[in-house]
Amino acid sequence: ETGVTQSPTHLIKTRGQQVTLRCSSQSGHNTVSWYQQALGQGPQFIFQYYREEENGRGNFPPRFSGLQFPNYSSELNVNALELDDSALYLCASSDRQGAGTDTQYFGPGTRLTVL
Amino acid sequence: QQQVKQSPQSLIVQKGGISIINCAYENTAFDYFPWYQQFPGKGPALLIAIRPDVSEKKEGRFTISFNKSAKQFSLHIMDSQPGDSATYFCAASITGGFKTIFGAGTRLFVKA
């Protein structure tokens, strides 16, 4: 059983650019959630994807968007990057069965720096 | 109402001592309360979790105490070891919901 993987590990962009981050969910998991973790803070929920559809969204602007693919892997896209977007972006996978489950397994994260 | 308040912000404990981290929540709809451990450069890892139908859960050296009426829960690390030095996050979610709310974290340092 493979764990959650994310790529790339680190990324440096400039303001106004666009970025795509990738996540492969744990084997057998059908749900992926994305979180933003600023330095010294707890993770903040961005959105969740379940069976290729957005299942819920946190307080993030529309320039944060995502996709989930048939193999349950996922992408996070951020357009028009701002300096405040610099953070660790975490992907978490879980196995949602009907009523839902709560155990999330996190990947190592992608460290995004916006200059 | 969606916040989870965590304290202390940082904690220094002697090796062999007990580390205690506290969290409080407002939303009574929360019904799942996990604790995560995060080492520098790594993602959070699930440590232990509890539901409101029990007041205590123990796994090895880690114990969660839950007070439903006070809307508070805490993590106790017994016999703390230098390898326990990490950041700990409490969290809360609603079964069938889609997001987990995290506390701000507690940086634990265990002195050898």
Side-chain angles (χ1 to χ4, degrees):
Chain A
E1 184 179 274
T2 56
V4 179
T5 60
Q6 292 186 242
S7 63
T9 305
H10 295 88
L11 203 52
I12 299 174
K13 292 285 188 178
T14 57
R15 272 187 307 174
Q17 284 189 310
Q18 178 266 344
V19 68
T20 297
L21 310 182
R22 295 178 174 84
C23 170
S24 291
S25 60
Q26 186 164 313
S27 176
H29 286 183
N30 55 22
T31 303
V32 171
S33 302
W34 286 92
Y35 292 81
Q36 180 194 66
Q37 185 178 21
L39 203 61
Q41 301 294 319
Q44 298 291 317
F45 175 77
I46 302 175
F47 44 56
Q48 182 183 86
Y49 277 83
Y50 170 61
R51 293 187 174 178
E52 303 178 57
E53 293 200 0
E54 188 178 293
N55 187 49
R57 189 178 185 92
N59 190 26
F60 280 81
R63 59 188 184 86
F64 286 78
S65 63
L67 284 172
Q68 187 180 30
F69 301 99
N71 66 354
Y72 302 131
S73 66
S74 178
E75 286 183 355
L76 165 65
N77 300 289
V78 186
N79 294 321
L81 284 167
E82 301 177 359
L83 295 179
D84 283 349
D85 295 334
S86 295
L88 181 68
Y89 287 85
L90 296 162
C91 165
S93 77
S94 56
D95 183 20
R96 190 179 180 98
Q97 299 290 345
T101 187
D102 306 284
T103 302
Q104 295 185 313
Y105 298 89
F106 282 84
T110 293
R111 172 69 65 187
L112 173 65
T113 301
V114 182
L115 302 176
Chain B
Q1 195 180 23
Q2 287 291 316
Q3 278 188 320
V4 176
K5 295 183 179 179
Q6 183 172 347
S7 63
Q9 194 171 24
S10 62
L11 184 59
I12 300 174
V13 174
Q14 287 289 132
K15 179 182 174 182
I18 302 173
S19 304
I20 302 173
I21 304 170
N22 301 299
C23 283
Y25 63 98
E26 291 292 327
N27 189 349
T28 55
F30 288 142
D31 62 357
Y32 181 70
F33 301 90
W35 284 89
Y36 287 87
Q37 179 189 57
Q38 186 176 29
F39 292 104
K42 305 290 186 183
L46 180 66
L47 200 57
I48 186 173
I50 197 168
R51 294 192 183 273
D53 52 346
V54 297
S55 60
E56 186 175 281
K57 182 174 182 180
K58 184 176 181 179
E59 290 183 2
R61 295 185 295 110
F62 301 93
T63 300
I64 300 179
S65 297
F66 189 87
N67 186 330
K68 188 174 180 178
S69 60
K71 292 185 284 187
Q72 295 175 347
F73 58 110
S74 60
L75 175 70
H76 292 64
I77 305 175
M78 312 300 287
D79 188 26
S80 298
Q81 299 296 312
D84 297 330
S85 298
T87 300
Y88 292 80
F89 294 96
C90 61
S93 64
I94 301 169
T95 300
F98 54 82
K99 69 177 174 180
T100 298
I101 307 297
F102 284 81
T106 296
R107 295 184 68 177
L108 171 66
F109 179 68
V110 181
K111 295 170 66 175

